[in-house]
Amino acid sequence: RLVTFWKERIRNARNTDTYKRVEKDKEDAKKFYRGEVFTADDTMNWEGDQVKANLFHRHVNFVIDAVFANNPRIKVLVRAKAEQDPNSWKQASAVEKHIKYVWEEEDIKAEVKRTMKDAYFCAISAAKIIFDAERELITTRWVAGQFIADPDAHGDLKRARWVAEHVQLPRYRIWQDETFDPTAREEIKNHLTGSGNEYDETANKSKDLEDLWYIYSKEGADPVTGNEKVKMKLLVYCENYDKWLLQTDDPTPYLDNDEFPYVLFNVDDLPGELVGISPWRIIESACKAFNWAASYHMSDMRKTASRPLGYDEQRLSDPMALVSRKHMVPIACKGDPKTVVSPLDMGAADKTIYDSV
């Protein structure tokens, strides 16, 4: 019953305008990033070439690399009121060395880069704070799947009652994970729910995926009755399974009781708004204008390369005699293009537009 309740709760949240906008904007941005600049409406009245000389790919890579040019410089300073205390400077130095060590040891630079690029697509992205038990360090990871927050919080995680992260895993990874419920693992292994097909050991495991939702709730598993006296609870369920895979109290002991292990990165950071204007939308018109200009110049260069051939239609009795010159385009003229037939000078196309592409 509770799993069904949470499934419906997340489904309703995803149906809100905010999250629909995020999904649509992100999908459009991926197409634009790949060079699919023109839509059907753009090309409806255009008979020229469609040149995919998209500057967005270069723009994003340049901006992200520029931000991390110094890797970045990490500096921990002492508060003004404690500048006279020598112990404070020693503590600041120790913290600075520790942060630099974690930054390099956990390769946080790569994760933050992914988070920033994701923010360019839909103006918002998320990173998860996790504890690396092997190295005993607190680190962060980019959230690749969809991230859902309590709609009533309007993008402010401090006001949110719950958050959820969507994760896709191969089915064999689920039944090999010993942290999940043993009964649930066995049933998912045999795929006794959902489609009803038994798990095929010879199947391509990478395509045999299950959709999991990791829910962090300040209201416990049953927010309706409110019987649970917990600060934070981790709930995990599978879309094709009607029982919990995992229920854990206090899943983030390394954080405060009222903190979620997520950080939202909002490029346009509007107060009270979850999603602002996507940066790719801002330069979309400039990219399209460049592509239209490139299309025009491509057409112009084609005319120049084809060497149009003009002829006096009043003096040339058989224009088919020019068909053998396939590398030239015959153009009928009323008048004298020098005797009967003459190459026409259409001028040279300006190729400087491609110098920076």
Side-chain angles (χ1 to χ4, degrees), residues 32-276:
F32 196 80
Y33 192 79
R34 291 193 295 264
E36 300 175 22
V37 182
F38 303 129
T39 64
D41 294 335
D42 294 327
T43 58
M44 185 177 299
N45 299 318
W46 177 253
E47 298 178 355
D49 300 308
Q50 294 184 28
V51 180
K52 294 184 178 180
N54 195 354
L55 298 180
F56 180 63
H57 186 281
R58 289 169 55 109
H59 171 76
V60 172
N61 290 336
F62 173 80
V63 170
I64 300 300
D65 290 340
V67 171
F68 289 91
N70 294 318
N71 197 29
R73 294 179 181 176
I74 299 175
K75 188 70 176 177
V76 179
L77 301 177
V78 178
R79 293 181 181 273
K81 61 182 180 181
E83 287 182 349
Q84 305 302 323
D85 185 4
N87 291 328
S88 297
W89 286 103
K90 292 180 181 179
Q91 294 171 1
S93 176
V95 172
E96 181 178 315
K97 291 179 181 178
H98 177 73
I99 294 177
K100 288 181 178 179
Y101 170 76
V102 175
W103 182 270
E104 296 179 1
E105 180 69 15
E106 294 290 343
D107 194 18
I108 296 179
K109 176 180 178 179
E111 299 299 325
V112 176
K113 268 190 171 184
R114 295 187 183 100
T115 306
M116 290 189 66
K117 284 188 176 182
D118 198 24
Y120 263 85
F121 286 155
C122 55
I124 190 170
S125 58
K128 187 175 184 179
I129 303 171
I130 61 175
F131 179 72
D132 187 346
E134 184 177 350
R135 295 182 176 88
E136 296 185 350
L137 296 173
I138 296 177
T139 182
T140 183
R141 291 289 182 267
W142 167 55
V143 176
Q146 188 175 12
F147 179 78
I148 302 290
D150 179 8
D152 295 337
H154 301 288
D156 186 356
L157 292 188
K158 294 180 180 179
R159 299 169 55 188
R161 295 167 297 175
W162 59 272
V163 296
E165 178 188 356
H166 177 233
V167 177
Q168 276 193 330
L169 289 177
R171 194 171 302 124
Y172 78 96
R173 288 273 303 277
I174 298 176
W175 57 261
Q176 287 179 351
D177 193 334
E178 296 181 355
T179 59
F180 292 150
D181 181 76
T183 304
R185 288 164 51 200
E186 188 63 28
E187 291 187 8
I188 290 177
K189 176 181 178 181
N190 296 325
H191 207 194
L192 298 178
T193 60
S195 65
N197 299 324
E198 292 187 359
Y199 181 72
D200 185 2
E201 296 287 352
T202 63
N204 186 341
K205 295 180 180 179
S206 63
K207 294 184 179 180
D208 203 9
L209 299 175
E210 294 286 355
D211 293 304
L212 274 64
W213 284 93
Y214 284 71
I215 306 168
Y216 289 85
S217 172
K218 295 179 181 178
E219 305 172 311
D222 190 359
V224 177
T225 60
N227 293 330
E228 295 179 274
K229 303 298 182 181
V230 295
K231 290 292 185 180
M232 184 75 71
K233 193 159 189 171
L234 171 61
L235 310 167
V236 182
Y237 75 81
C238 178
E239 289 284 2
N240 293 325
Y241 191 68
D242 293 330
K243 299 178 183 177
W244 293 118
L245 294 183
L246 179 66
Q247 294 189 72
T248 302
D249 294 333
D250 192 20
T252 54
Y254 46 87
L255 298 175
D256 291 340
N257 291 332
D258 60 342
E259 282 189 308
F260 291 111
Y262 294 97
V263 177
L264 292 184
F265 180 68
N266 195 343
V267 176
D268 195 27
D269 203 13
L270 296 176
E273 295 289 339
L274 183 63
V275 184

Side-chain angles (χ1 to χ4, degrees), residues 38 46-53 289-306 347-354 357:
F38 303 129
W46 177 253
E47 298 178 355
D49 300 308
Q50 294 184 28
V51 180
K52 294 184 178 180
F290 180 88
N291 279 265
W292 290 127
S295 299
Y296 172 80
H297 281 261
M298 286 291 292
S299 178
D300 192 23
M301 283 189 286
R302 181 179 289 105
K303 291 178 182 178
T304 304
S306 63
D350 181 11
K351 301 179 180 64
T352 58
I353 192 173
Y354 297 104
V357 180

